[in-house]
Amino acid sequence: LLKKGADVGVMKAFEAQMGDPAALIFKKRKQAMSDLLERAQESYAMISGDSERLEIEYKPNLVVEEPDSFLESLEKNRRRDEILHSTSKGPHRDDFLIKLNGMAAADYASEGQQRSTVLALSLAIIRFWQERLKVSPVVLADDVLGELDTERRKRFWDAVDPELQFIASGTQLPEDREEQDWKVFRVSEGSFEPDLSC
């Protein structure tokens, strides 16, 4: 509607339905970030050897505690939004900041630390699904441990729920594959062959 230059009355008719969902998204997202942080910290501690502190800071674009606060923001920013042809404030513009030892991971963490952070968040999401939704996903991982040293790679596999179906690709096999129940396939020129030596 903003792109088409719709009448304010038309926009308000649609906006009237947006307050409740915006407040619900804010509330649920805030709670989910808290839930994920706890699980991600546990996973990150397992992968890193408990030597670093992971934090996730929810950065809402607009605090929407009540439906009316979102509607007030839409009204306040209407002229600007009409010029930009886009809604400038709201849950659709939320973000989050990942920190290691109090500093932004994107700016200060090594590639291995950043990879460990992504893995910890992924494991946290999997645990969230398992606990809340009673669903165990099939995990697909492409060269997931490429930036990690040997110790972090081993600790990552220790952190993974052994009940998960985990399909991983990479250029090297896990160091502890003898201890795990792996089925290994080698891929060459688009053909998959079981590796009988593993």
Side-chain angles (χ1 to χ4, degrees), residues 173-174 177 182-186 193-196 198:
L173 294 169
R177 64 186 178 276
W182 287 98
K183 289 189 173 87
V184 178
F185 293 83
R186 297 206 179 264
E193 296 286 336
D195 188 333
L196 302 177
C198 296

Side-chain angles (χ1 to χ4, degrees), residues 2-3 77-86:
L2 286 167
K3 287 178 182 173
N77 294 294
R78 185 171 313 286
R79 185 68 195 123
R80 178 182 180 206
D81 292 351
E82 286 173 343
I83 292 167
L84 296 175
H85 295 178
S86 177

Side-chain angles (χ1 to χ4, degrees), residues 122-193:
S122 298
L123 291 176
I125 290 168
I126 290 167
R127 283 183 53 204
F128 184 85
W129 284 354
Q130 289 174 311
E131 293 167 14
R132 289 289 181 88
L133 306 176
K134 307 300 182 208
V135 171
S136 282
V138 175
V139 181
L140 306 175
D142 180 28
D143 199 20
V144 69
L145 306 179
E147 303 298 331
L148 302 186
D149 59 42
T150 303
E151 280 303 307
R152 283 190 189 233
R153 283 198 294 266
K154 182 176 185 328
R155 288 194 294 258
F156 168 76
W157 290 121
D158 291 341
V160 172
D161 179 351
E163 298 299 314
L164 283 175
Q165 185 177 0
F166 202 102
I167 301 171
S169 66
T171 55
Q172 60 188 51
L173 294 169
E175 288 86 352
D176 62 344
R177 64 186 178 276
E178 292 82 10
E179 302 164 25
Q180 305 284 342
D181 184 21
W182 287 98
K183 289 189 173 87
V184 178
F185 293 83
R186 297 206 179 264
V187 182
S188 177
E189 298 179 4
S191 296
F192 287 75
E193 296 286 336

Side-chain angles (χ1 to χ4, degrees), residues 85-99:
H85 295 178
S86 177
T87 307
S88 56
K89 293 283 186 183
H92 61 296
R93 296 195 181 271
D94 285 356
D95 205 347
F96 59 94
L97 177 64
I98 298 171
K99 296 180 182 176

Side-chain angles (χ1 to χ4, degrees), residues 11-158:
M11 286 196 284
K12 283 187 175 182
F14 281 92
E15 290 169 356
Q17 304 172 56
M18 295 167 63
D20 288 327
L24 182 62
I25 288 168
F26 173 78
K27 177 183 171 188
K28 294 284 189 181
R29 197 171 275 167
K30 190 175 176 183
Q31 182 60 52
M33 284 289 186
S34 175
D35 292 344
L36 282 176
L37 174 60
E38 184 180 333
R39 292 167 177 84
Q41 284 175 329
E42 291 171 11
S43 297
Y44 191 86
M46 290 180 75
I47 295 168
S48 70
D50 213 11
S51 60
E52 297 147 2
R53 175 92 177 139
L54 174 69
E55 300 169 65
I56 308 171
E57 184 181 326
Y58 176 38
K59 300 184 75 65
N61 173 265
L62 179 70
V63 175
V64 188
E65 298 283 1
E66 299 295 331
D68 287 347
S69 61
F70 183 57
L71 300 178
E72 287 166 10
S73 173
L74 291 172
E75 188 64 40
K76 179 182 173 186
N77 294 294
R78 185 171 313 286
R79 185 68 195 123
R80 178 182 180 206
D81 292 351
E82 286 173 343
I83 292 167
L84 296 175
H85 295 178
S86 177
T87 307
S88 56
K89 293 283 186 183
H92 61 296
R93 296 195 181 271
D94 285 356
D95 205 347
F96 59 94
L97 177 64
I98 298 171
K99 296 180 182 176
L100 281 180
N101 297 332
M103 301 194 332
D107 298 327
Y108 296 102
S110 69
E111 287 188 29
Q113 288 172 319
Q114 289 184 17
R115 180 65 63 101
S116 298
T117 300
V118 170
L119 293 172
L121 286 169
S122 298
L123 291 176
I125 290 168
I126 290 167
R127 283 183 53 204
F128 184 85
W129 284 354
Q130 289 174 311
E131 293 167 14
R132 289 289 181 88
L133 306 176
K134 307 300 182 208
V135 171
S136 282
V138 175
V139 181
L140 306 175
D142 180 28
D143 199 20
V144 69
L145 306 179
E147 303 298 331
L148 302 186
D149 59 42
T150 303
E151 280 303 307
R152 283 190 189 233
R153 283 198 294 266
K154 182 176 185 328
R155 288 194 294 258
F156 168 76
W157 290 121
D158 291 341

